[in-house]
Amino acid sequence: LELGVPCFSIRVRSVPLAMGNCVTAPLYALSACLGSCCAAGCCKLACAGFVNSAKGARCLLLWLQVFAASTSLGFVLASPTWLEKPCSWLDSGLKLGSGPSAVGVCECFNATALAPQCLSDQMAYRIGAAAMLMYLFLLLLCVSGCARGAASSLPVLKFMALFLLVLAFLFVPNSLFSGFGFCASIVAAGFAIAQAILLVDFTLTWNDIWARAESSWRLGGVSAYRWGLLIFSLVFLVLGGVLVGHLCSAFSEGAWKAAPLTALGVSVLMLLLSITEWCQVGTLITSCAIILFAQWLTWEALAAGYRPSDGSVVSLGPPAWLDLTVGAAGLLALLAFGGSWRGDAAPSPVAVELASQAQRGSDSQSASSRDEESSDTTVPHTEANIDTWDFAMQCLVHSVAAAYVTSVLVWWV
């Protein structure tokens, strides 16, 4: 502060201002240092990791799905009403003057009574869209000739990119993601196709392992494994019959009742056909499992389109936890049996032994040449052993699974 007097001037220092500078200067330096360190650490973390096997690539895709689904489930169970204050700050910063409901997900606060449900829906839509976009981008890399790099490189960056996509989607209008939610409920039907394929693959493998297993314990001349296949087949058949009874009781109006009976008739006809000599690859347990799965799909379809004659809104579909359990079982089967999409036979033990001998010979020949090289030679990164077709199919199935999870969680709300 400077006071002007005719003969002299007096400069007065503001004590509070000087003390504020003393406090903020080290804080500013500390924040600059921490910011640069965090940025460097994030970059280092994003470039870390490498996947060198097909199973590892499948597990990475599954964990991405688990991360997205668990985050969506958290927002569904606890609506993010805490976004109201950040939305108010954003509105004040942009000087929009229309309250905390002007940008992106903040539009949910237009209707105060429906804000919690709107926020849960919109966050589930955004997370599902981010996961689906991530899988489709990896699929695009596969068909572009970059499958090995997409499957093996930068595993941590994939999780970071998913988080950043959700963060960016917070500023996108709700109407766009409401349209995505409608499309996701349609695309989710594609996951049922993948589930049916995986169910057939799982039961055929199960039947093959138990049919070929040698057991010394026999009951009445029949192997215990054979009895096990018969018992599990009967269990699937009984559960399918119970589900038919439930559907006929719940959807008892007009043509709705005919849907489960028609599905049962076609499934039983295919069962009788599969156990004949005309169908060489048919198995009893696979046919019985398909009977149960056909009724499950009928339940899903009827619940989506059923409207009572009195015009009331009722919820007769399967519980959300059961939907998620069936979806999780399908993804676990995808992890275990996803490598058999093309039905390639496994290499014989002789071929494996010959390949290992050739590898040992090449290693011994190259060992001497490596000794002659200079010490500063960089060893190239091990190439990932990943099947391009398998990884592409994994990305495709996981993309429709993300739509399936989104539709289930939003229906749950």
Side-chain angles (χ1 to χ4, degrees), residues 34-184:
L34 291 178
S36 60
C37 292
C38 290
C42 289
C43 291
K44 191 69 175 178
L45 184 63
C47 299
F50 185 77
V51 180
N52 58 1
S53 65
K55 186 175 182 179
R58 293 182 208 160
C59 289
L60 178 63
L61 295 178
L62 179 61
W63 281 116
L64 277 172
Q65 190 76 254
V66 171
F67 175 69
S70 58
T71 307
S72 297
L73 181 60
F75 283 119
V76 167
L77 295 179
S79 179
T81 53
W82 48 266
L83 285 173
E84 183 175 5
K85 185 169 291 187
C87 288
S88 299
W89 293 343
L90 181 63
D91 180 71
S92 300
L94 296 178
K95 300 185 185 306
L96 297 176
S98 57
S101 57
V103 178
V105 73
C106 300
E107 296 174 3
C108 288
F109 293 102
N110 283 329
T112 307
L114 299 178
Q117 180 178 348
C118 176
L119 288 171
S120 296
D121 288 350
Q122 292 298 324
M123 291 305 298
Y125 288 151
R126 282 162 169 79
I127 296 172
M132 195 172 181
L133 185 61
M134 174 68 68
Y135 288 122
L136 291 178
F137 178 70
L138 293 176
L139 178 60
L140 179 62
L141 292 179
C142 289
V143 300
S144 302
C146 305
R148 294 187 182 275
S152 59
S153 302
L154 308 175
V156 180
L157 182 61
K158 294 180 175 67
F159 289 90
M160 297 175 66
L162 184 62
F163 171 76
L164 293 176
L165 278 175
V166 175
L167 190 62
F169 285 164
L170 292 178
F171 302 94
V172 180
N174 288 344
S175 58
L176 180 63
F177 290 101
S178 297
F180 165 77
F182 175 76
C183 296

Side-chain angles (χ1 to χ4, degrees), residues 195-217:
Q195 285 178 311
I197 296 174
L198 292 169
L199 178 62
V200 171
D201 195 2
F202 169 71
T203 52
L204 286 176
T205 305
W206 182 5
N207 182 83
D208 184 65
I209 293 175
W210 280 27
R212 294 175 182 271
E214 295 181 359
S215 176
S216 58
W217 179 41

